[in-house]
Amino acid sequence: MLVPINSPRSSQANDDLHLISLWLKGKSAHSQEAYSRDVEQFVDFVDLPLSEIKLQHFWDWADHLKKLGALPSTQARKLAAVKSLFSFGHRIGYLQFNVGVAITLPNIPDKLAERILLEEDIVAIVSQARTLRNRVLLKLFYASGARVSELTSVYWGALIPRESQQGQISLLGKGGKMRTLMLPATIWKDLMELKSESEFSEPNHPVFRSRKGGSLSRQQIWRIVRDAARAAGFDKNISPHWLRHAHASHALDRGAPVHLVQESLGHRSLATTSKYTHARPDESSSKYLNI
């Protein structure tokens, strides 16, 4: 995917477009869409070839985002995308200087603890699913800790039966990395029920099929989770990622080794998984105070 740059069609502009296409190569479709949008907004704002962009332009754009009222997380994401592009351009020798390296990203408050649902919350949300497909989707989100992009692309051929009425699922994660997870018998039974009721259950058919015949889109999946959560009485804007958070937190609460949770969720760093052990602590030094 190329990012349109509002400048005359020159050799410089074409070279910039080529750099951006190389930088995006290998990223997921969702990441390409988001990064392209962020870079396009930046280039539109500065209205200069990449080689002529200075540190001041980064600062000006950061101030512009603040004036627009962008959340710190949004500011950080957009700046990080452009910084990544400039780092890549400098690394391959296209840009003489990596001016983005001097930019510090805004601090983002860690609100992970606020986004972890209780086990009974998960039960309540699943119970509000309107169809068998939606119920299985919600349960699989929680059982696997999968990302939205991973479940939009899962096909029946990725499901394989295992012993004791269990099963396994292969998920295509970030960076094109495949990981395989064991699924408990209860989830496997639901998946097989969904398969038996579907007219399209060949290995190349999507597990979660839309009415038009293809895989459910990211937007459709978000809507399914949001509607079920609202029907269960939650006024927070609960997203599919909350179910992923719940998987990690509840598994650790029940004694799952942190490295196993890391592998299941496809985290690159153990530090990322370890955040969940601090988001809902069982101990605090305050219990030893006389208050």
Side-chain angles (χ1 to χ4, degrees):
M1 181 187 296
L2 298 181
V3 179
I5 300 178
N6 295 332
S7 59
R9 285 291 178 181
S10 62
S11 176
Q12 179 69 62
N14 289 332
D15 288 346
D16 284 353
L17 286 169
H18 183 60
L19 172 71
I20 293 169
S21 68
L22 291 175
W23 169 65
L24 291 172
K25 190 173 182 179
K27 293 179 171 58
S28 69
H30 175 66
S31 295
Q32 287 191 28
E33 180 182 354
Y35 292 169
S36 295
R37 183 170 57 249
D38 293 338
V39 169
E40 181 180 358
Q41 290 173 358
F42 173 73
V43 174
D44 283 346
F45 176 79
V46 297
D47 196 23
L48 288 170
L50 296 180
S51 60
E52 296 181 20
I53 292 175
K54 309 298 182 185
L55 182 57
Q56 184 64 49
H57 296 123
F58 271 86
W59 288 336
D60 291 343
W61 193 51
D63 290 340
H64 175 69
L65 293 174
K66 291 179 183 179
K67 291 178 181 178
L68 290 178
L71 295 173
S73 58
T74 302
Q75 297 175 37
R77 190 200 73 235
K78 291 180 179 296
L79 286 168
V82 181
K83 279 168 63 73
S84 173
L85 171 63
F86 273 73
S87 294
F88 175 77
H90 181 256
R91 188 164 63 250
I92 67 173
Y94 179 79
L95 297 175
Q96 185 177 3
F97 302 105
N98 181 11
V99 295
V101 73
I103 294 294
T104 301
L105 300 180
N107 290 324
I108 305 174
D110 188 355
K111 297 185 178 181
L112 177 59
E114 300 174 16
R115 299 194 298 272
I116 296 179
L117 299 164
L118 302 175
E119 291 183 350
E120 52 264 36
D121 295 337
I122 300 296
V123 173
I125 291 172
V126 171
S127 69
Q128 295 300 320
R130 297 178 180 178
T131 65
L132 173 62
R133 180 203 65 185
N134 292 1
R135 176 166 60 85
V136 176
L137 175 66
L138 294 171
K139 293 179 74 171
L140 187 58
F141 259 127
Y142 177 60
S144 66
R147 303 177 178 92
V148 174
S149 59
E150 294 168 349
L151 290 194
T152 58
S153 60
V154 70
Y155 289 78
W156 286 115
L159 298 170
I160 299 175
R162 295 288 296 272
E163 64 280 355
S164 302
Q165 298 182 322
Q166 299 179 95
Q168 72 178 47
I169 184 171
S170 296
L171 300 173
L172 184 61
K174 286 185 175 180
K177 294 183 178 180
M178 188 73 72
R179 69 184 189 280
T180 301
L181 308 174
M182 286 290 292
L183 296 175
T186 52
I187 301 300
W188 186 254
K189 179 181 177 182
D190 289 337
L191 280 163
M192 292 304 99
E193 181 183 356
L194 178 64
K195 185 176 183 180
S196 67
E197 294 190 6
S198 175
E199 298 179 6
F200 304 93
S201 56
E202 295 298 318
N204 62 330
H205 289 153
V207 173
F208 299 107
R209 186 180 174 88
S210 69
R211 292 179 180 178
K212 294 183 178 180
S215 299
L216 286 173
S217 67
R218 296 176 59 89
Q219 292 75 17
Q220 289 171 318
I221 289 179
W222 272 66
R223 187 160 55 247
I224 289 169
V225 174
R226 181 197 62 199
D227 291 349
R230 288 180 177 175
F234 295 95
D235 55 3
K236 295 180 179 179
N237 191 24
I238 293 177
S239 73
H241 218 69
W242 287 49
L243 303 182
R244 179 173 164 87
H245 293 324
H247 172 106
S249 179
H250 299 170
L252 291 169
D253 285 348
R254 290 182 173 273
V258 66
H259 72 273
L260 179 60
V261 178
Q262 176 195 6
E263 293 173 3
S264 296
L265 270 64
H267 286 156
R268 292 183 179 178
S269 169
L270 191 62
T272 302
T273 314
S274 298
K275 290 180 180 179
Y276 292 95
T277 63
H278 303 295
R280 290 180 60 190
D282 294 321
E283 292 287 343
S284 171
S285 57
S286 64
K287 67 183 288 187
Y288 297 94
L289 302 179
N290 184 19
I291 54 175

